[in-house]
Amino acid sequence: MRNIVFALAVLSLAACSDDGMEHDATGVFEATEVIVSAEQTGRLLYFNADEGAKLSAGQQVGLIDTVQLQLRAMQLGATKEAYASRRPDIAKQIAETRQQLDKAELEVKRYAALVRDNAADRKMLDDAESSVRVLRRRLEAQKSQLDNTAGSLNRQMDAAEIERRMVIDQLRKCRITSPVGGTVLEKYAETGEYAVPGKPLFKIADVSDMYLRAYVAAPQLTSLKIGQQVKVYSDLGDDGCREYQGTVTWISDKAEFTPKTIQTRDERANLVYAVKIRVKNTDGQIKIGMYGEADFLTF
């Protein structure tokens, strides 16, 4: 989706059309174009991505109606609090049984001492020990039940929190922001229109960094490599052209037929290779779709 971007420092004015020179390659300038689409459904409360406006990365330019999502987030927050209020205080709820167990264990010790002194019947000790076993099982059952209840409520709280965070993420996506810094090329929506996920809202590109997509014949590839510095000329029509420094950033490894709009150095060549030359558009003179030429001699 992104056509890459062209540019590298301005050198000087030149007269391309009148110098009588035949350049090594010709092509058109491109920029990395990003189409920003809506991520949520709703009416655009405001949308300020006007064509020609310069935006920074992350800058907010619009907002989709958030009322229903805000209410849903509040509802989920209240649901989580309701689950939290129902979570049992295990220590308090088993306190009575634990107290009974402690008392029963003291009775066992007391009866054991009396039995050793032949001051009490053995059955009284057996009954006390049985009571301790019953209370221990009751305490374990209570703790297990309360742990299960608390665990279930914790899971319900976690589920409500996860859903709340999902809604918060949807709220964040209601804010329309520019993913990259650049200039707005086209605007596809206006304030008050209804947005749906995937609907294009605006197109933006960093026109300060451009690429010349040019085509060369196979014999020229031997004198061309990635990272090579070349001369690039933007065609200004009757005003001649402007010279820039460029850097080769990509060379196609696949040949293609010569585009009808491109004239190669060797007009007899039917197959050419695409190359991309990065150029810094510091003066803003280079426009997307503008015709350009390149010389591959290093300088």
Side-chain angles (χ1 to χ4, degrees):
M1 297 293 292
R2 301 187 175 186
N3 304 321
I4 325 183
V5 206
F6 1 111
L8 258 158
V10 182
L11 294 182
S12 64
L13 282 170
C16 300
S17 58
D18 298 330
D19 59 9
M21 295 177 56
E22 185 178 8
H23 299 286
D24 293 323
T26 58
V28 294
F29 287 102
E30 303 174 343
T32 301
E33 299 178 357
V34 179
I35 296 178
V36 181
S37 300
E39 296 184 84
Q40 288 298 314
T41 300
R43 195 166 303 282
L44 286 167
L45 299 181
Y46 77 90
F47 186 50
N48 299 330
D50 297 323
E51 294 178 357
K54 296 185 183 300
L55 306 178
S56 56
Q59 181 177 340
Q60 183 171 337
V61 295
L63 179 67
I64 296 173
D65 186 10
T66 62
V67 172
Q68 294 301 316
L69 290 175
Q70 288 278 12
L71 293 174
R72 179 60 177 156
M74 292 171 62
Q75 182 185 46
L76 290 168
T79 299
K80 181 181 177 181
E81 291 179 1
Y83 287 140
S85 67
R86 292 164 48 192
R87 190 165 50 183
D89 187 332
I90 296 178
K92 287 184 178 181
Q93 295 197 29
I94 66 173
E96 182 180 355
T97 303
R98 187 176 292 280
Q99 186 178 15
Q100 292 175 353
L101 177 60
D102 291 341
K103 183 178 178 180
E105 289 174 341
L106 287 175
E107 288 290 307
V108 168
K109 291 179 181 179
R110 188 169 68 86
Y111 282 124
L114 291 174
V115 169
R116 284 195 303 269
D117 295 337
N118 294 319
D121 188 0
R122 176 70 192 185
K123 183 177 183 307
M124 297 178 67
L125 177 60
D126 291 343
D127 290 344
E129 289 176 342
S130 176
S131 179
V132 167
R133 288 193 293 271
V134 169
L135 288 170
R136 284 177 177 169
R137 286 195 293 270
R138 183 186 301 172
L139 182 62
E140 290 175 0
Q142 283 183 327
K143 290 177 63 177
S144 176
Q145 181 180 4
L146 292 170
D147 285 340
N148 289 337
T149 300
S152 176
L153 289 170
N154 286 338
R155 288 189 292 273
Q156 289 175 306
M157 289 172 61
D158 291 341
E161 176 63 16
I162 290 171
E163 191 172 353
R164 190 181 73 87
R165 293 186 182 184
M166 291 172 60
V167 173
I168 290 174
D169 181 64
Q170 292 174 334
L171 281 168
R172 179 186 59 80
K173 291 177 179 177
C174 286
R175 297 194 297 270
I176 303 166
T177 60
S178 176
V180 297
T183 302
V184 177
L185 302 180
E186 294 184 57
K187 183 179 181 181
Y188 305 120
E190 296 293 342
T191 299
E193 291 187 12
Y194 197 79
V196 294
K199 177 183 178 180
L201 299 176
F202 67 98
K203 181 193 293 184
I204 187 171
D206 182 4
V207 294
S208 67
D209 203 17
M210 308 279 286
Y211 284 89
L212 175 66
R213 185 182 185 94
Y215 295 86
V216 299
Q220 294 174 280
L221 291 178
T222 57
S223 61
L224 199 61
K225 62 180 183 293
I226 301 295
Q228 179 175 333
Q229 301 292 297
V230 300
K231 290 182 179 180
V232 175
Y233 305 92
S234 62
D235 190 341
L236 303 180
D238 293 339
D239 295 330
C241 72
R242 192 174 295 268
E243 181 182 318
Y244 300 83
Q245 178 179 321
T247 304
V248 177
T249 60
W250 174 76
I251 303 173
S252 174
D253 56 2
K254 186 186 302 183
E256 57 187 284
F257 286 103
T258 309
K260 294 180 179 180
T261 56
I262 303 300
Q263 294 181 355
T264 62
R265 185 175 184 179
D266 184 356
E267 294 182 355
R268 295 171 298 175
N270 292 322
L271 292 177
V272 292
Y273 293 83
V275 299
K276 287 187 177 181
I277 304 167
R278 188 178 184 182
V279 183
K280 203 69 180 175
N281 188 19
T282 53
D283 59 359
Q285 292 294 318
I286 303 176
K287 308 297 182 184
I288 296 175
M290 180 181 286
Y291 181 77
E293 299 173 309
D295 287 335
F296 298 145
L297 297 175
T298 57
F299 61 98

